[in-house]
Amino acid sequence: MTTNPIRVRFAPSPTGYLHVGGARTALFNWLFARHHGGTFVLRIEDTDDARNTGAAVRVIVDGLRWLGLDWDEGPGAGGDRGPYFQSQRGGIYAEYLDRLKTSGHVYEDGGSVRFRLPREMVVVPDLVCGDVAFDLSDAAIHPDPTIRRPDGSWIFHFVNVVDDAAMGITHVIRGEDHLSNTPRHIALYRALGIAPPHFAHIPLILNPDGSKMSKRDTGAALESYQTGGYLPEAVVNYLCLLGWSPKDNREKLATEEVVRLFDLANINRKGASFDAAKLDWLQGEYARELSDDRLVALGRAALEEAGVRPEGFPEDFVRAALLTCKGKFRFARELPAYAGFYFTDELSCDAEAVAKHFVAANRPRVEALRERFAGLPAFDCASVEAAIKECAASQGVKAGVLVHPVRLACTGATVGPSLYHLLEVLGRDKVLARMDRALASQWP
């Protein structure tokens, strides 16, 4: 089944955005090719002039590149089986049509050309679904398909078969909704005297209610994840799990490991339900593993987009501030609210938190801590932590009694990065100024 050279293809129609189902199909083809050392072809099925657009082609290409799915042949990559746009392959289709005419497998009908469908049982040997039999004997149910319209334009079923044959595609991995088309495709292969490729029809992606995820459904467009702050590695990991499993209950898998493990035998037969919560969980897992440089780049962009201007601060300060957030967020868009206190002195404290932590009994404790901070030889994480704990012990209270009001005074929030680390990043002068401001304006 998998004797090299393996050749697979992703053949989208550029009629809109890239559906997550299409992205998952591209991914499975790419994984299969990479697992077997084969060739992954990108072919653009753009014969529908009325619906196809150049912008849609760019959306497809950009989406695949964002996912990290490089193609060996196709637009921008070249190859000796092109052109890789169907709109440029009319001469090839005419040649194959002449072969069908010569062998008597087609006939004219009102200006269109129809293929004589064999009236017999056709079995589709499918690597996922098993053998599926289709009875084509009833012409009322299975009429002879048109392969060229009266205006000379080509029908999908014919050009799809011709392209796969001419490009030497060995395995057709596509959505299960194409399974019912396959007996006609097999009949066309046979009429052309060409051995059909192996077929593998993968389960559809379903909404949580069990309905098929259509283009109108929330979350159906890959672009919504590209622009929504998702990490591509998290999306790739999740798409891998939509219909495929490594069979060991693991859910977080690096792409390199999926390439090593990927096998058509482990594709599930039933539909794959889209679980946005699981995708978000994976997003958080990958966010925790971001390299420092990538985290800082994403964080800086998120701050700027939210109107926070980090460019007015030293680069070392911006970097140190953002790195205190590592492991504390899922999406970079959360960072302006989470870490914005680093970049402004205009803090707005929650009234309920003020009432809880800025109580009269805490004033002398915080004042004592403020003086201890002022006298520290060094204002680093370890020194700050020791000062808070020692000050709390000397007053007979737990460290949390000081931690909470100091955090609120310095950040305006009750949650955030590690207090000791954020105080070091803010620096002694800013910390003392913010504590002074809180003591003057918030405490009774």
Side-chain angles (χ1 to χ4, degrees):
M1 180 187 75
T2 57
T3 302
N4 282 342
I6 297 295
R7 290 179 61 84
V8 296
R9 48 70 167 179
F10 177 53
S13 297
T15 57
Y17 57 77
L18 180 57
H19 190 280
V20 292
R24 194 268 310 260
T25 297
L27 174 60
F28 279 19
N29 277 278
W30 182 87
L31 289 168
F32 187 72
R34 295 295 174 260
H35 177 81
H36 292 288
T39 299
F40 176 53
V41 178
L42 175 61
R43 183 176 76 227
I44 305 298
E45 299 195 336
D46 61 342
T47 55
D48 189 342
D49 291 336
R51 300 176 61 208
N52 296 327
T53 67
V57 174
R58 288 191 293 274
V59 166
I60 292 168
V61 169
D62 290 346
L64 294 180
R65 286 176 175 160
W66 181 74
L67 291 170
L69 307 185
D70 56 323
W71 48 98
D72 306 297
E73 297 179 19
D80 58 5
R81 305 290 185 106
Y84 294 94
F85 287 84
Q86 283 187 338
S87 58
Q88 302 170 15
R89 296 175 62 83
I92 297 172
Y93 304 143
E95 291 176 11
Y96 277 79
L97 177 57
D98 286 343
R99 290 169 61 175
L100 292 178
K101 287 179 178 178
T102 300
S103 58
H105 284 95
V106 295
Y107 61 93
E108 298 279 341
D109 180 20
S112 64
V113 178
R114 289 183 177 273
F115 173 65
R116 298 183 191 278
L117 205 61
R119 299 304 165 188
E120 61 187 15
M121 186 75 71
V122 174
V123 175
V124 177
D126 193 275
L127 298 173
V128 173
C129 304
D131 289 351
V132 184
F134 293 87
D135 186 355
L136 306 183
S137 60
D138 190 339
I141 299 175
H142 299 284
D144 290 342
T146 298
I147 61 175
R148 192 177 68 182
R149 301 180 183 91
D151 64 3
S153 60
W154 302 96
I155 297 294
F156 159 78
H157 301 290
F158 177 63
V159 296
N160 185 270
V161 166
V162 169
D163 285 343
D164 285 345
M167 293 183 179
I169 300 302
T170 61
H171 293 73
V172 172
I173 304 170
R174 59 189 178 188
E176 191 177 7
D177 50 339
H178 287 289
L179 179 59
S180 61
N181 298 326
T182 308
R184 280 175 284 179
H185 296 179
I186 289 177
L188 279 165
Y189 279 110
R190 290 174 177 170
L192 290 166
I194 300 170
H198 299 284
F199 292 98
H201 288 90
I202 58 182
L204 300 180
I205 297 178
L206 308 177
N207 291 309
D209 64 2
S211 61
K212 177 185 174 182
M213 180 180 274
S214 72
K215 288 190 173 183
R216 295 181 299 276
D217 292 321
T218 301
L222 181 69
E223 191 174 7
S224 66
Y225 304 99
Q226 292 175 255
T227 60
Y230 284 85
L231 298 170
E233 56 267 43
V235 176
V236 167
N237 190 156
Y238 182 66
L239 291 179
C240 288
L241 301 177
L242 284 176
W244 174 86
S245 169
K247 303 302 183 184
D248 58 6
N249 296 320
R250 285 184 300 155
E251 294 185 318
K252 184 173 181 297
L253 296 156
T255 304
E256 295 77 12
E257 186 173 10
V258 180
V259 168
R260 180 176 63 82
L261 296 173
F262 191 79
D263 188 344
L264 294 177
N266 286 346
I267 293 179
N268 301 325
R269 180 66 183 87
K270 64 179 183 178
S273 180
F274 193 92
D275 184 349
K278 182 181 288 187
L279 171 57
D280 286 354
W281 171 77
L282 281 168
Q283 169 73 13
E285 293 297 299
Y286 281 98
R288 272 192 281 276
E289 297 178 356
L290 284 169
S291 69
D292 290 354
D293 287 347
R294 192 169 171 208
L295 185 155
V296 170
L298 290 171
R300 179 181 281 279
L303 290 170
E304 292 174 348
E305 186 173 347
V308 180
R309 301 301 178 192
E311 66 269 15
F313 296 83
E315 181 60 32
D316 288 348
F317 176 82
V318 175
R319 182 178 182 85
L322 290 171
L323 289 181
T324 64
C325 305
K326 193 165 189 175
K328 304 290 187 177
F329 68 94
R330 291 185 303 176
F331 297 92
R333 63 174 178 269
E334 299 167 7
L335 290 173
Y338 189 78
F341 67 86
Y342 282 115
F343 308 100
T344 180
D345 290 323
E346 301 299 321
L347 302 179
S348 177
C349 297
D350 177 75
E352 184 177 340
V354 168
K356 181 177 180 180
H357 298 296
F358 289 169
V359 295
N362 269 347
R363 173 185 280 277
R365 297 166 182 157
V366 173
E367 288 175 336
L369 179 61
R370 189 257 183 228
E371 295 309 311
R372 188 177 290 259
F373 278 172
L376 288 175
F379 200 77
D380 55 31
C381 181
S383 300
V384 165
E385 180 178 5
I388 291 176
K389 291 180 177 179
E390 290 167 3
C391 191
S394 69
Q395 300 181 60
V397 297
K398 293 182 177 180
V401 174
L402 293 174
V403 164
H404 297 305
V406 170
R407 176 187 292 279
L408 189 59
C410 291
T411 71
T414 57
V415 295
S418 161
L419 178 65
Y420 311 131
H421 291 87
L422 75 85
L423 293 178
E424 177 182 348
V425 172
L426 281 172
R428 190 198 314 260
D429 291 346
K430 279 193 176 184
V431 169
L432 295 180
R434 292 184 183 191
M435 291 177 72
D436 289 343
R437 188 180 302 116
L439 286 164
S441 63
Q442 301 287 358
W443 258 280

